[in-house]
Amino acid sequence: MKLPRGFKRLVLTFLLLGTIFAAGSYTVHSPRFHSYLLSFLRRATGWNVSIRDSHLKLLHLRIFLDGVNAENAQKTVSVSAEHVRFDISAFSLIRGKIIVTDFDVDGPNVFVRKTDKPGKPIPPDILQRLYSQFERSTLLQNVFIQDATATNLKLTLAATSPDGSLDTSDGFVGKAVIGLNPTLLGNLAVSADIETTSGLFLPARKVALKASLTRSGLTVDSLLFDSEKVTLTAKAKTNGDLKRGGIDLSGTLDVPSVLTGQLSFEAEADLKDGKADIKKVDAELGDATFHASGQATFPDPGDLKKLRYDLPFEAENLPIEAIFEKLKSPILGPAKGLGAVQGRLQGELPALKATAKAQIRDFRHGAMRSRLVEGTLDFHWPELDFEADIKPGEDGRLQGQAKGGVRFDRLIPYKSIKAMLKSVDLTFNDGTLQDIIPAAKVSGKLKGELHLKGLRTSAVGPGHAEVTQAHWFLGPVDRFVTDLDFKLGGLIVFTKTEFNAPNIEPILWPDGLTLDTSTSGIVRYEGRPADGLDLKGSYQIKEDYFHIDSLIYRRGGSNLTGALHIAEGGGLDAKLKGDLNLESLSSIPVLFRDMRGHARLDLTASGTTREPSLRGTVDFLKDEIQLRGFPAIEEVEGRVTLEGPVMKPKLSGLLGDGRFSVEGSLGMKNFHPESFDLAFKGSDLSYAKPNAYRVDFDASLTLKGAMPSPKLSGRVDIVDALYTKPFQLRELVLKAFEEEASAEEAAWDKTFEPWQLDLSVKHSGDLRIRNNIADIYLLADLQVGGTYGRPVIRGALTATEGQIFLFGDTFTLNEGRLEYIDPAHREPYLRITAEEDLPPLYTVFVELKGYLSNLQVNLTSTPGLPREDVLSLITTGHTQQELREAGVNRQSMGMGVLAGELTSAIEQPISRKTGLDVFRLEASESGQLSKLSVGKYVTDRLTLEFQSDFAPETAQRILQANYYLTDNVLIKGTQIWENNQNGTGPRFNFNLSFRFRLF
């Protein structure tokens, strides 16, 4: 069958087209053809691009490239990818556009080798150049990329080390999606979403960008940078390029590792001919504000490393903890307060420099406080130097100064910065502890200095501190001084410590106590600050919790173990157990004067340091205790039980020669008595005051009630009492020798003044006054009421027998009475009359009356004579007329009185120095001092007295001894030496007398 010619032509045409299509299809799918096409790219860009395989799906307009490699001509940058795939929308080709709907790159690797050759700087008109390329290219204006995705991107930076090896560092991007969208207005819109960057890249969880490029500049509609350390949201707009135009920038910044809140900011600048007029930089952090404005100059707009800047700035209400609290610095990190800064940023990049005046109100650093710290800052990255005046009190007085510097170091790129100490010198002069460390609840004056130098992560250096006029919860402190030494690893060693408090022997701690501050938030300490005392514990700074985990004291017979925990606010938990040598309590002057012996302790404490609650027992083992304001007690034994604020003693012991017992309960507050319910019994007890009195007594007493006026009631039986306070004669007035009361006695007397009294005082033995003017026996039957400060005493002491010694003569007692007639006087009123016969004509009467501290002396005679004649009769045996008729100088009378005056004036100091109880000068009739008498009360029953004449013609010496064999039998012995011509030896006299009292 013969085909028509037209059909043959049609078949030939299809065959030709098929051959051409087959040849074209083979060529398009051929990797060799693809490589040939890439050769044009190599010649145009200088990059050598190769592929291992490729193929094309025309129906889907999908291109696959495998084993893609590209390298620049200098072979410093290479890019490789295992697979590259992109799809082109067929419909977009019909519309005259190229829309890449999918562009995927799997596992791209970028390798960059660093060289010594400087790289080309970024041109200042880069934005204009990019937009010009876009504007001139019709192809670029019609290329749309919806999603260009790269997964598992790796960037490697390599550099050759001095030894020839290759040092590399890597950066990673988990996923990056980029979009490119030309708009009808001629703008180029760009979007980017990046996830999971690490290594060399800023570590981020997400980076999102939406921006548009126009001829007038770049507009960033939104920027989000989110990482574990930083979250930044911003928008920006540029008008022109780096040579001309303007920049507006605003946004927020969160840096949780450094800032405690969100920072919002705004900035505006105008660019012209390489200069930037920075109109404003405003930032806010809570109530804190920051303002800056100034200029920046770009000598080379393409190289920011040469940028010169000059920015005056100020900040107000800046909480410094918002910056420093999370900074890894033992110096700046703990700081808190409200700051104000005014300064200037001025310098040239890459150097960062600033100087400023700074002020911090309510500054806090650990336990340290200061209402005001002000000074200067000099910042030159990476160092900051400072000088500051410390004014902790409300009065604004300068109390201390600080000077030093820190160095900033980046620990891990883009993650954290650490401030490392260079040096700090801290001094305090006349500092006030109550202002500087108010939480410690102590007061006093501080003088000290501290000189530290940074060494790696620690500070080392010496220090010294001295505290005076101090007071803490245990009482006043006169002086506390110590040396400090800061060592590597955060160790602080205290040595040469000295502690002085009122009425305490100085406490010296020559050995060291070491504090370990290396653990954040905890200070541990361990050491032996005193001989025999070992401590180990810690202090938790944030919780303000102080621990003594182990306390061991072994010294001088003491063997104690214990622990102590003090929480914030003074919460207390403590225990102490073991044997205590009571001599160590002598250093506590609040209660004890002297202690001897041992006690067994088993105590716990709770409550607070201000109001501790003690529980447990204290067992006394025949100890000696001398309480403040009370006589010493010996052989104390028994137990004191502590039940919180209540102390329950059940004790016995010796007071003088007698034994006593006490039991009941005692309410305490802050170691001071608050209430009493005590019963006291004793027999043959003794209470004495040197050169004043001694009392032996039996007692059965109770003390009940609350401070300040408990009631002391019961019965006191006087077994033996002796009043020995001497008197001095001045113008016929007898005044007692008064010893100034010690501050301690005065304080205790003031404490006892409101105590109520209800006592019955009787006597069953001798009640006697024996001093330089009298030797008298009395009867007592008294009822004592009122208060200790204003006693009301009913009854009287009646004299039964005795003698009065005045003007060298002895008067026989006629009557005497000692009674309390005025409640305003704590001492009794005395009235005594006595007489002496002066043969052949006269009898002289003497009357003593008045309060014991001020006795009036009245002299009369029978027959009656003027007082001057009576005094002359007593001192010379003659009246003044008789003396004139005999030609005797009246000086004798005056010298006799003078002898008494001299005796009164020097008897007390002589007695203090020598221990003598009697010292007396006498005058002769001629008016000369002629006799000296000295004596000693050996015991209450034995008296020795020695008399010696000054006159050489007599030179008589007498030694006399008086001894009361019983209360009613007196034995007297006398030995007399005389300087006479016969040369006879001493004469002895012996006398035995009896005396009885009618009661």
Side-chain angles (χ1 to χ4, degrees), residues 684-930:
D684 296 326
L685 305 176
S686 296
Y687 186 69
K689 184 176 182 180
N691 298 320
Y693 57 82
R694 174 187 170 88
V695 181
D696 296 336
F697 62 98
D698 298 338
S700 179
L701 305 172
T702 61
L703 179 62
K704 296 185 178 183
M707 289 290 286
S709 56
K711 188 173 185 179
L712 179 66
S713 58
R715 179 184 174 92
V716 177
D717 291 319
I718 299 176
V719 177
D720 193 7
L722 181 63
Y723 183 86
T724 59
K725 179 180 286 188
F727 286 74
Q728 59 186 354
L729 178 63
R730 291 188 182 276
E731 298 180 357
L732 299 183
V733 176
L734 291 169
K735 296 185 178 181
F737 281 102
E738 292 295 338
E739 294 184 3
E740 183 177 353
S742 66
E744 173 189 309
E745 292 173 338
W748 280 101
D749 280 348
K750 192 172 182 179
T751 301
F752 293 145
E753 280 182 359
W755 284 31
Q756 302 178 65
L757 303 175
D758 184 11
L759 301 173
S760 175
V761 181
K762 298 182 181 296
H763 77 96
S764 58
D766 287 341
L767 181 57
R768 186 178 183 185
I769 296 176
R770 185 180 66 187
N771 55 20
N772 62 323
I773 66 162
D775 187 357
I776 302 172
Y777 292 88
L778 303 107
L779 297 174
D781 187 1
L782 304 174
Q783 294 293 323
V784 183
T787 64
Y788 180 84
R790 303 179 71 88
V792 178
I793 303 177
R794 299 180 181 88
L797 292 93
T798 305
T800 60
E801 61 174 297
Q803 296 173 324
I804 302 296
F805 310 114
L806 283 174
F807 311 110
D809 282 356
T810 301
F811 297 82
T812 303
L813 180 70
N814 290 333
E815 65 174 332
R817 186 175 181 83
L818 191 67
E819 57 186 336
Y820 293 84
I821 62 174
D822 186 356
H825 284 78
R826 295 182 58 184
E827 56 186 356
Y829 187 89
L830 175 67
R831 184 178 183 276
I832 293 177
T833 61
E835 65 179 50
E836 179 188 16
D837 291 330
L838 297 176
L841 298 177
Y842 299 102
T843 300
V844 177
F845 300 93
V846 62
E847 178 187 40
L848 303 180
K849 65 178 181 179
Y851 295 101
L852 287 183
S853 62
N854 193 0
L855 293 174
Q856 301 292 326
V857 181
N858 294 326
L859 299 173
T860 60
S861 66
T862 303
L865 294 171
R867 189 176 71 168
E868 290 77 8
D869 281 333
V870 175
L871 184 58
S872 181
L873 278 174
I874 296 172
T875 58
T876 68
H878 302 277
T879 65
Q880 295 185 59
Q881 180 63 34
E882 293 171 343
L883 291 174
R884 286 193 293 270
E885 292 175 355
V888 178
N889 194 321
R890 294 175 58 189
Q891 183 185 10
S892 62
M893 180 186 70
M895 185 57 70
V897 176
L898 176 61
E901 288 289 312
L902 289 174
T903 300
S904 300
I906 66 177
E907 179 180 26
Q908 192 73 0
I910 290 291
S911 299
R912 291 175 182 170
K913 297 294 184 181
T914 65
L916 296 174
D917 298 312
V918 176
F919 180 89
R920 186 169 62 250
L921 292 171
E922 298 179 10
S924 66
E925 293 182 1
S926 64
Q928 302 294 322
L929 292 176
S930 63

Side-chain angles (χ1 to χ4, degrees), residues 75-88:
K75 298 185 177 180
T76 57
V77 179
S78 63
V79 180
S80 63
E82 187 64 26
H83 301 289
V84 176
R85 176 181 65 86
F86 56 92
D87 294 347
I88 299 176

